[in-house]
Amino acid sequence: MRNKHIQIFFVIVTISCLVSLGCGGGHKSSRSGVPAFGGGTGTGTGTGTGTGTGGNGTGTGTSGAKAFTLVCAFKAELNLGTSEKQAFGEMVKSTSARIWESTKNQVYIQKATIKTGESGDVVIVSPNRTFDHGGMSVYGYSDGSTAYVGAQCLTVTLQHELGHSRWSLQDHYGSTIDCIMNASGGGTYMKALYCEGGQYDCWGSMKSRLGLSDSGGSGAVPATEIVIE
């Protein structure tokens, strides 16, 4: 059985941290063999015709952009209803816009199915923003190709955990690099970008995995379809 490498998005219990976008701490780890992207590339202008499978879902190209889908499962024991799922869906839309900005207008979430269940690309394990994991209060964590978050998850938390679970990006703890993967300093460095060059080079990794361009794309982020089940 392969060893599981768990990235934990630790909470720094300070007032400034709770007011800020998010925070973290702990050990760095990397993940190999995680599906990177279920996508294809569009052809021509307007809506692309290319489709592809792989990763966690199916991706479709739209005007050359890369799209991916998510299945978000609320654990049944939480007993949360439609309103909580709708609120989570709005957060997913905001996360898609941040990913679009971070990838220079090239990657977005095309569709998110939000349901009650025990498994998915994203599993909601608490009705709150933070929750206990391994005896510590956390905003979220990833195990293999699954991200675990609370129902009141922040957009930066979801983008950070998807960096781990979908694209095997590492934490940048202890550094002062501006990057969505750097949860140091109470979330101070968690900007809507993937760091370029240096020790981590998240942009280089994303570009290689997804076939992105340094020059980027253009236009507003395409709409994310939210399906509540």
Side-chain angles (χ1 to χ4, degrees):
M1 181 180 295
R2 68 181 181 85
N3 293 327
K4 293 183 178 178
H5 299 279
I6 300 176
Q7 279 90 8
I8 300 178
F9 194 16
F10 293 109
V11 173
I12 299 174
V13 187
T14 64
I15 294 176
S16 61
C17 175
L18 292 176
V19 173
S20 70
L21 296 177
C23 60
H27 65 278
K28 302 181 182 71
S29 59
S30 61
R31 184 177 294 106
S32 61
V34 177
F37 187 79
T41 56
T43 58
T45 59
T47 301
T49 58
T51 60
T53 59
N56 300 325
T58 301
T60 303
T62 302
S63 299
K66 308 286 186 177
F68 66 97
T69 65
L70 290 176
V71 173
C72 306
F74 277 62
K75 280 188 167 289
E77 65 199 54
L78 301 180
N79 197 31
L80 298 178
T82 301
S83 61
E84 288 86 0
K85 292 175 181 176
Q86 289 174 335
F88 195 87
E90 291 304 310
M91 184 276 298
V92 170
K93 290 180 182 179
S94 296
T95 302
S96 180
R98 283 185 62 89
I99 293 173
W100 182 254
E101 179 182 354
S102 301
T103 57
K104 305 178 183 181
N105 300 1
Q106 295 178 88
V107 179
Y108 71 101
I109 301 170
Q110 181 187 44
K111 177 181 178 180
T113 300
I114 304 175
K115 63 177 186 176
T116 298
E118 298 300 309
S119 62
D121 304 304
V122 180
V123 178
I124 295 82
V125 296
S126 167
N128 306 311
R129 179 167 294 172
T130 61
F131 54 94
D132 180 78
H133 175 70
M136 303 188 71
S137 183
V138 302
Y139 280 93
Y141 70 96
S142 296
D143 187 356
S145 59
T146 303
Y148 297 86
V149 300
Q152 298 179 37
C153 178
L154 296 162
T155 57
V156 290
T157 301
L158 183 57
Q159 185 182 3
H160 178 97
E161 296 305 338
L162 289 175
H164 290 314
S165 64
R166 293 195 70 90
W167 301 309
S168 300
L169 301 179
Q170 300 180 50
D171 286 311
H172 302 357
Y173 293 130
S175 75
T176 57
I177 300 168
D178 284 339
C179 181
I180 189 60
M181 301 310 296
N182 187 6
S184 302
T188 300
Y189 308 106
M190 296 181 77
K191 304 296 193 298
L193 58 84
Y194 296 101
C195 60
E196 299 187 37
Q199 179 180 357
Y200 300 104
D201 192 18
C202 290
W203 174 248
S205 178
M206 294 286 285
K207 185 172 66 172
S208 175
R209 283 174 172 271
L210 309 184
L212 305 182
S213 166
D214 282 324
S215 60
S218 61
V221 58
T224 298
E225 179 186 2
I226 302 297
V227 177
I228 307 294
E229 295 184 351

